Amino acid sequence: MDNTHSVATLIDSTTSKIQQLQKAFAELESHRAVTLNLKWKELEEHFHGLEKSLKRRFHELEDQEKEFENRTIKARDLLVKKEADIVAKEQASLDKLQEKRDAAVFAIASARDKHRKVSSDDPAVVTTEGQNAQPSTEETPQENTISDGDLEEMKSPENEHEGVKSYPQLVILCKEMDSEGLHKFISDNRKNLAAIREEIPFALRAAINPASLVLESLEDFYRAESTNTDGKKDSNLLGLRRTCIMLMECLSTLLTSLDLASASEVITEEVKEQAKEIAEEWKPKLDALDLDDSNGNSLEAHAFLQLLATFGIASDFDEEELSRLVPMVSRRRQTADLCRSLGLSEKMPGLLYELEHVIDHFYLC
């Protein structure tokens, strides 16, 4: 009986203990839920902050991408506009050049018609006394006024420098092969350049090797430019370059007065190789030339083309590249001769053989 009571008491006690334990456990569970809930809120706020930061960075990247695309579009449009402007300038330059060529052709045709009328109406010059005078050297071809005997006499050693009348110093400088002295003499007497130009071809006959003398005179064509402290083409440099071109032209004049055999003795294969080396050295410097800046009056392009023409080495260079240089010298009155000598007349139809006779305001030297 006592054992039964103790068991019941123990059971009741156990139940009570269980209820107490359940209550404590429930209380513990309530405290645990609050702690976890607080931690989750902190984590949630942290993740929301990360999300906002990522979205803000994403929008910034989108804005930068749009700005880059806009800049790219503007740059492309600007490039297209510049290309169009360049094409328009080139076309305008070509149109202007064609107008001048057309005007030159018209002037030549008019001059020829006028000359024909004068020749047919007035075949001889009449003096004030009514007697027929001898025609001038400009109106009468030289071959019609000089006999074969006179030609032989002119070729004789006594008369080979007869054309040098006003400036005998030219003969001395050429005989001594003094290219530097020749440059200085021409520079000092530039006021009388026209007369000097006429006498130089005769003076060159006195040189042991006139072609080498002219080639030596070209040494400072670009070297003088590199010594310029201000980097500008001053008057001395321009004068030197004009003298170089003039000496090559005078050598060409001398060569045209010689027969083929004599000319080949002046322009030997060795001389041609030397001229080709100079041309190869000059050629890269022409790549920087601008058609608009040259205004059809480029001394550099003129000198290069004259070098090829005088020494007969044009065949060693690309014809298309030479044609590209012609517009850069279109305002120089020697252009027609150069085109003819270089074999470019067919590629440049506006430059006719007679173009060098046009009035100076069409092609200025």
Side-chain angles (χ1 to χ4, degrees):
M1 182 80 134
D2 292 334
N3 290 336
T4 303
H5 178 73
S6 62
V7 170
T9 302
L10 183 61
I11 290 173
D12 290 338
S13 174
T14 302
T15 302
S16 174
K17 293 291 184 183
I18 291 173
Q19 288 177 349
Q20 291 177 2
L21 181 62
Q22 183 179 9
K23 185 178 178 181
F25 185 79
E27 186 177 354
L28 179 64
E29 284 291 331
S30 66
H31 285 295
R32 181 184 177 190
V34 171
T35 303
L36 290 174
N37 189 40
L38 289 173
K39 289 183 178 179
W40 170 249
K41 286 183 179 179
E42 291 176 359
L43 289 173
E44 187 177 21
E45 289 177 358
H46 177 67
F47 284 123
H48 278 307
L50 290 176
E51 183 182 14
K52 290 179 180 179
S53 177
L54 289 173
K55 284 183 178 180
R56 184 175 66 254
R57 182 59 179 163
F58 177 73
H59 291 314
E60 288 177 356
L61 290 174
E62 279 187 331
D63 293 339
Q64 290 178 2
E65 183 179 6
K66 288 180 181 179
E67 184 180 358
F68 177 76
E69 289 178 354
N70 292 334
R71 288 181 179 179
T72 303
I73 293 173
K74 288 181 180 179
R76 189 181 299 114
D77 293 342
L78 182 61
L79 181 61
V80 171
K81 183 179 179 181
K82 285 186 176 181
E83 289 178 351
D85 291 342
I86 291 173
V87 172
K89 284 184 179 180
E90 289 179 349
Q91 188 60 46
S93 297
L94 292 174
D95 292 342
K96 190 179 296 184
L97 180 61
Q98 190 60 46
E99 289 177 3
K100 291 182 178 181
R101 289 172 177 167
D102 293 342
V105 173
F106 177 77
I108 291 172
S110 300
R112 283 180 171 176
D113 292 341
K114 185 177 180 181
H115 181 70
R116 285 197 199 97
K117 291 179 180 179
V118 172
S119 299
S120 59
D121 295 341
D122 190 16
V125 180
V126 180
T127 63
T128 54
E129 289 82 11
Q131 297 176 346
N132 289 341
Q134 293 294 330
S136 67
T137 55
E138 295 181 356
E139 297 172 349
T140 306
Q142 187 176 2
E143 59 267 24
N144 292 338
T145 59
I146 302 177
S147 65
D148 294 338
D150 292 334
L151 286 173
E152 291 298 327
E153 184 179 354
M154 288 179 66
K155 293 179 182 179
S156 64
E158 295 80 6
N159 298 304
E160 62 178 354
H161 310 313
E162 189 177 287
V164 183
K165 297 178 180 178
S166 303
Y167 301 96
Q169 182 68 19
L170 289 172
V171 177
I172 297 174
L173 293 170
C174 290
K175 186 177 294 185
E176 295 176 352
M177 296 288 287
D178 186 358
S179 61
E180 185 177 349
L182 192 59
H183 262 287
K184 186 177 186 307
F185 182 83
I186 294 172
S187 177
D188 292 342
N189 295 275
R190 190 160 293 277
K191 292 182 179 180
N192 303 315
L193 193 60
I196 291 176
R197 180 193 293 267
E198 293 181 0
E199 297 192 1
I200 288 178
F202 297 97
L204 285 173
R205 292 175 176 267
I208 299 174
N209 191 334
S212 295
L213 176 62
V214 173
L215 286 177
E216 289 175 7
S217 72
L218 306 179
E219 288 183 357
D220 291 331
F221 190 87
Y222 281 104
R223 189 182 304 170
E225 183 178 38
S226 62
T227 59
N228 249 356
T229 55
D230 57 0
K232 298 180 180 179
K233 298 175 184 176
D234 58 21
S235 58
N236 291 333
L237 176 59
L238 294 177
L240 182 145
R241 290 182 172 177
R242 290 191 182 100
T243 299
C244 290
I245 294 172
M246 184 185 73
L247 290 174
M248 287 190 287
E249 292 173 342
C250 289
L251 180 59
S252 294
T253 302
L254 170 62
L255 293 173
T256 56
S257 68
L258 302 176
D259 55 41
L260 187 60
S262 300
S264 62
E265 291 178 1
V266 176
I267 306 297
T268 62
E269 291 300 322
E270 181 181 358
V271 166
K272 285 186 177 182
E273 285 300 320
Q274 293 173 359
K276 186 178 177 182
E277 289 178 5
I278 295 175
E280 292 289 358
E281 182 183 348
W282 287 3
K283 187 173 176 294
K285 301 179 186 294
L286 301 176
D287 296 335
L289 293 180
D290 184 82
L291 178 60
D292 294 334
D293 291 342
S294 64
N295 197 26
N297 198 26
S298 169
L299 289 175
E300 295 90 341
H302 185 181
F304 180 78
L305 295 176
Q306 188 64 57
L307 177 64
L308 304 191
T310 299
F311 292 91
I313 55 174
S315 59
D316 294 322
F317 294 85
D318 184 74
E319 195 174 73
E320 292 297 330
E321 293 183 6
L322 299 185
S323 299
R324 183 185 69 85
L325 296 176
V326 172
M328 296 183 184
V329 296
S330 59
R331 291 178 62 85
R332 303 187 70 78
R333 60 168 170 252
Q334 301 94 329
T335 303
D337 276 340
L338 284 176
C339 286
R340 182 170 61 249
S341 300
L342 297 171
L344 300 178
S345 298
E346 294 181 0
K347 299 183 72 65
M348 308 297 291
L351 296 177
L352 302 179
Y353 289 169
E354 300 290 339
L355 204 54
E356 65 272 28
H357 300 301
V358 179
I359 303 174
D360 284 346
H361 73 272
F362 289 117
Y363 290 95
L364 300 177
C365 180

